[in-house]
Amino acid sequence: MTGELFPDLEPTTDGVDPRAPLAARMRPRSLDDFVGQEHIVGPGSPLRALIESDRLSSVILWGPPGTGKTSLAAIIAAATRAQYIEVSAVSSGVADVRKAIERGREALKTGRRTILFIDEIHRFNKSQQDALLKAVESGWVVMVGATTENPFFEVNSPLLSRSLLFRLEPLTPEQVGAILRRALGADGGLGDGGPRFLDEAVDRIVEMAGGDGRFALNALEVASAAVGAGGRGEVTADDVNAALQRRTLRYDKGGDVHYDVISAFIKSMRGTDPDAAVFWLNQMLEAGEDPEFVARRMVIFASEDVGNADPMALVLAVAAFDALRVVGLPEASLNLAQAATYLASAPKSNASKNALVRAREDLARAGQQSVPAHLREAGYPGAKGQGFGKGYQYPHDFPDGWVDQEHLPGRLPGQPYYEPVDRGAEKEIKARLESLRRGGSG
């Protein structure tokens, strides 16, 4: 197998150098050793069936770090007895891709297929991705692309359409625990040569890993080395905390996690769950998200999802945005949390947004409309001679400040645009408008 992850290290009989990082030494060698992702590689699953029947075409593996994308690519190559070439999109260019494709074409002449594994394929630009199209379509290589980012945003549509897409999920705590315990007892892992890990230490690593198997194995190795260097025989949860200090949150402000977390934050507020809202808010701030981005989304949410059901929501959201600019982080996190919990707890209405949508649809159907003469500006010389303003009835001259007159250029099909809900302050607005629309005084 070519293109090993550690080509400069002296391999053992099973191909992995004992000096390599623990995460590399513990890579699964077969589908039976693979932990997690049963939905795609478990018995009877679609990807496993394609691999075992040697009918695999190009695929894109999409999932968070440490879920097994690189390991799965190597297993695919081994299971199919294909030539294995690994390319990193971080350090490779079009020339490297074309060289790998040419190697695949030469191997195909002898009847051997080539697995071309492209790590972080989302980092390839359009021209680099386009260089793969002909090779993938012609079967010169079986491309296995790995990405942590949403491929619908980051991978060119032609390349995506020529590939099968498989989504890998974060490992469960039980799966991460199984990986750690195997590393503690396996040949090539930590084995019997290091300090003994108490269950509380393993549980703490599982908790910090967040479904990332590679992080968990790296953490296990760091904690073992730190405690072993001190001459102690046991690793506790406190030792893990001391060795790792703090779990670095995985967050790319322009990537998939960014969109997923802000989506969870907004949907938590919409779902009237202040606990979840403040949790996702905290995760964004701790991971380094731009706080003004979060504050802007709350200002939008105040009108889009709360609206007139609680008019104070917009006031508070804007105040939190202003407070952020005046105070700054970390103190302004209190202002953001106050706004987030208020917005989440407020009665909800999207009637204002729906009104805007309906009016926009009518405008698109009917096109730009002329303003009725009685509504036109009549304060300049000659306006009244054109009939502008004639017939306009001044609402304040009537009881309750309302008079029945037309303010639109005739009846449009989308009316009424604004239909208040029966919640919060909008309940009163609804009752008043219904009374007016029935011809009442309001």
Side-chain angles (χ1 to χ4, degrees):
M1 187 181 295
T2 62
E4 294 289 346
L5 293 176
F6 303 93
D8 299 325
L9 297 175
E10 181 181 348
T12 59
T13 55
D14 64 356
V16 180
D17 191 278
R19 295 166 293 175
L22 179 62
R25 302 201 304 270
M26 294 308 299
R27 284 199 187 282
R29 305 291 177 236
S30 69
L31 288 174
D32 291 333
D33 293 335
F34 196 85
V35 177
Q37 316 307 332
E38 287 86 355
H39 62 293
I40 58 172
V41 295
S45 59
L47 182 55
R48 185 177 188 125
L50 290 171
I51 294 170
E52 291 179 339
S53 63
D54 201 8
R55 295 170 54 196
L56 186 69
S57 58
S58 292
V59 299
I60 292 176
L61 305 175
W62 169 30
T67 51
K69 297 184 293 295
T70 304
S71 295
L72 191 52
I75 289 172
I76 289 170
T80 58
R81 300 189 180 279
Q83 175 180 226
Y84 180 60
I85 301 175
E86 182 174 331
V87 173
S88 171
V90 175
S91 56
S92 303
V94 172
D96 299 296
V97 171
R98 288 175 176 159
K99 187 182 297 183
I101 291 171
E102 186 57 34
R103 287 179 59 188
R105 292 185 69 179
E106 289 300 314
L108 201 58
K109 293 176 182 178
T110 67
R112 189 183 186 197
R113 296 204 299 169
T114 296
I115 301 295
L116 174 57
F117 176 62
I118 304 176
D119 196 18
E120 300 191 81
I121 192 172
H122 60 276
R123 294 186 182 272
F124 271 165
N125 60 33
K126 184 179 185 299
S127 64
Q128 288 169 313
Q129 291 185 28
D130 285 346
L132 293 161
L133 290 176
K134 181 66 174 177
V136 168
E137 191 170 38
S138 302
W140 296 337
V141 296
V142 176
M143 184 199 71
V144 178
T147 177
T148 57
E149 304 299 329
N150 191 327
F152 294 103
F153 297 147
E154 305 294 340
V155 178
N156 292 353
S157 295
L159 185 58
L160 191 59
S161 69
R162 289 166 171 80
S163 308
L164 297 173
L165 176 63
F166 293 97
R167 176 71 186 264
L168 283 73
E169 301 294 340
L171 300 177
T172 66
E174 293 76 18
Q175 290 165 349
V176 175
I179 290 172
L180 293 177
R181 290 184 170 86
R182 185 170 69 181
L184 288 169
D187 292 338
L190 294 181
D192 298 325
R196 184 172 70 89
F197 276 74
L198 299 181
D199 287 343
E200 65 177 49
V202 175
D203 291 343
R204 180 60 181 140
I205 293 176
V206 170
E207 184 180 74
M208 297 179 76
D212 184 335
R214 181 168 55 246
F215 173 88
L217 288 170
N218 289 340
L220 191 74
E221 190 168 34
V222 169
S224 176
V227 172
R232 292 177 46 216
E234 288 185 342
V235 181
T236 66
D238 288 339
D239 293 325
V240 170
N241 290 333
L244 301 182
Q245 297 299 314
R246 182 183 180 207
R247 171 68 159 115
T248 300
L249 296 175
R250 181 177 66 89
Y251 203 84
D252 180 352
K253 288 189 282 186
D256 199 25
V257 178
H258 160 85
Y259 293 109
D260 285 345
V261 177
I262 194 65
S263 175
F265 174 60
I266 291 169
K267 288 172 180 172
S268 297
M269 291 192 296
R270 185 179 296 139
T272 314
D273 190 338
D275 295 332
V278 80
F279 175 86
W280 294 120
L281 169 68
N282 189 61
Q283 178 163 315
M284 287 187 287
L285 297 180
E286 288 291 311
E289 177 61 83
D290 177 7
E292 288 198 6
F293 166 76
V294 180
R296 283 194 295 271
R297 292 310 302 257
M298 287 197 286
V299 172
I300 296 168
F301 180 91
S303 290
E304 182 177 10
D305 287 282
V306 178
N308 291 325
D310 187 347
M312 279 299 298
L314 180 58
V315 174
L316 195 64
V318 172
F321 188 88
D322 290 341
L324 173 64
R325 288 186 164 179
V326 172
V327 178
L329 293 179
E331 290 84 355
S333 61
L334 296 170
N335 308 116
L336 296 176
Q338 179 186 354
T341 52
Y342 187 94
L343 293 171
S345 304
K348 304 298 189 295
S349 170
N350 64 350
S352 296
K353 182 193 78 170
N354 290 341
L356 184 65
V357 171
R358 290 176 186 133
R360 185 176 292 147
E361 289 172 349
D362 266 0
L363 181 61
R365 281 191 292 259
Q368 183 172 338
Q369 300 291 300
S370 297
V371 176
H374 70 285
L375 297 179
R376 294 191 183 188
E377 171 58 42
Y380 60 90
K384 291 184 179 179
Q386 299 293 320
F388 297 164
K390 184 178 181 180
Y392 174 68
Q393 302 179 80
Y394 189 53
H396 295 289
D397 290 340
F398 294 84
D400 299 315
W402 179 84
V403 60
D404 186 13
Q405 67 180 329
E406 185 60 68
H407 295 93
L408 282 168
R411 180 71 182 176
L412 295 169
Q415 293 179 253
Y417 301 137
Y418 181 49
E419 295 186 292
V421 300
D422 199 21
R423 292 187 292 275
E426 210 165 56
K427 182 176 182 179
E428 183 179 342
I429 297 173
K430 179 181 180 180
R432 182 168 186 273
L433 288 179
E434 286 180 347
S435 175
L436 294 174
R437 288 166 178 167
R438 287 195 302 267
S441 65

